[in-house]
Amino acid sequence: MKLNHRHTERHRTDRIGWLRATVLGANDGIVSTASLVVGVAAASASHGSILLTGIAGLVAGAMSMAAGEYVSVHSQADTEKADLSRERAELELDPASERRELAAIYVARGLEPSLAQQVAEQLMQHDALGAHARDELGISETLSARPIQAALASAASFAVGAVLPLAVTALAPETGLIAWVSATSLVFLALLGAVAARVGGAGILVGAWRVTFWGALAMAITAGVGALFGAVV
């Protein structure tokens, strides 16, 4: 009797693109908006001015994140396309040399030369460009650049992250605004770091501590600058 065992593996590399953009956007939204609010509050600005500044920071930050992600990731995509185009031309011009090059890669990874040659031949018969893209250039469907996805994920996550300290700013009493925004933002950052680490399969405590530390440092420096300039004015 044959037993049908299914070997199931759960990997998370397919989440790298959107997870990186989402975590970066949300983290930046919380840190930059909270720091902006704390810095302006430390300069003794009015509650209305602080809230207006935070809203302006949300809009500007979301647009900046979207533009920055799109441009940077699109540059990566352009590089990948150029490399693939060059590789396609080399395959058409000298397929034998490309086959030897692919076989050498497999030999370096531990295969016997004869087996490496067979693997290279079979993979090139199936999908020559795909084999070279994956094993020579390091380009795969999972890790390929997606500019629009990265831009939208960053902008949306930035806005969501920025709304959190803004909501606290709108609801907190003016006298304890800095303490309220700082404390709640650190909690938000810790939760974000923990969730991101959990989704990515990393340690939750390390992820939470990492983003909380840098967020606290950013707010402290911004508050110091705001207090300094507020005292001067």
Side-chain angles (χ1 to χ4, degrees):
M1 183 177 66
K2 292 184 178 180
L3 296 177
N4 185 18
H5 293 287
R6 291 187 176 181
H7 179 61
T8 304
E9 294 184 344
R10 297 182 60 187
H11 298 290
R12 296 176 171 86
T13 52
D14 59 330
R15 305 173 181 176
I16 289 177
W18 64 263
L19 180 61
R20 182 194 65 83
T22 301
V23 172
L24 175 62
N27 181 80
D28 198 16
I30 296 172
V31 173
S32 61
T33 305
S35 298
L36 186 62
V37 167
V38 169
V40 175
S44 302
S46 66
H47 191 270
S49 298
I50 296 170
L51 190 58
L52 181 60
T53 301
I55 294 173
L58 183 156
V59 176
M63 294 300 99
S64 176
M65 287 292 294
E69 280 289 326
Y70 182 82
V71 171
S72 62
V73 178
H74 210 295
S75 297
Q76 178 186 342
D78 290 341
T79 302
E80 291 178 356
K81 289 180 181 178
D83 283 344
L84 288 174
S85 178
R86 188 179 302 110
E87 193 65 30
R88 186 180 293 107
E90 291 174 353
L91 285 168
E92 293 177 357
L93 182 64
D94 192 357
S97 295
E98 292 298 310
R99 187 179 298 107
R100 288 193 297 269
E101 184 178 27
L102 194 61
I105 293 174
Y106 298 142
V107 170
R109 292 179 181 177
L111 293 183
E112 294 292 332
S114 58
L115 179 58
Q117 183 66 31
Q118 294 179 33
V119 172
E121 290 178 357
Q122 292 185 26
L123 287 178
M124 288 187 65
Q125 288 176 1
H126 174 67
D127 182 8
L129 183 61
H132 282 270
R134 180 179 58 252
D135 296 322
E136 180 185 350
L137 304 177
I139 300 174
S140 66
E141 181 65 24
T142 300
L143 302 179
S144 62
R146 296 180 176 88
I148 295 179
Q149 181 191 65
L152 292 177
S154 294
S157 58
F158 182 97
V160 172
V163 163
L164 298 176
L166 274 180
V168 176
T169 302
L171 299 174
E174 188 172 354
T175 53
L177 184 62
I178 294 178
W180 272 100
V181 172
S182 299
T184 55
S185 295
L186 291 178
V187 173
F188 296 147
L189 287 170
L191 291 175
L192 172 65
V195 170
R198 180 71 180 84
V199 173
I204 294 178
L205 293 179
V206 175
W209 163 250
R210 185 166 49 221
V211 296
T212 304
F213 170 78
W214 288 107
L217 182 62
M219 284 186 282
I221 293 175
T222 311
V225 172
L228 177 62
F229 279 90
V232 172
V233 173

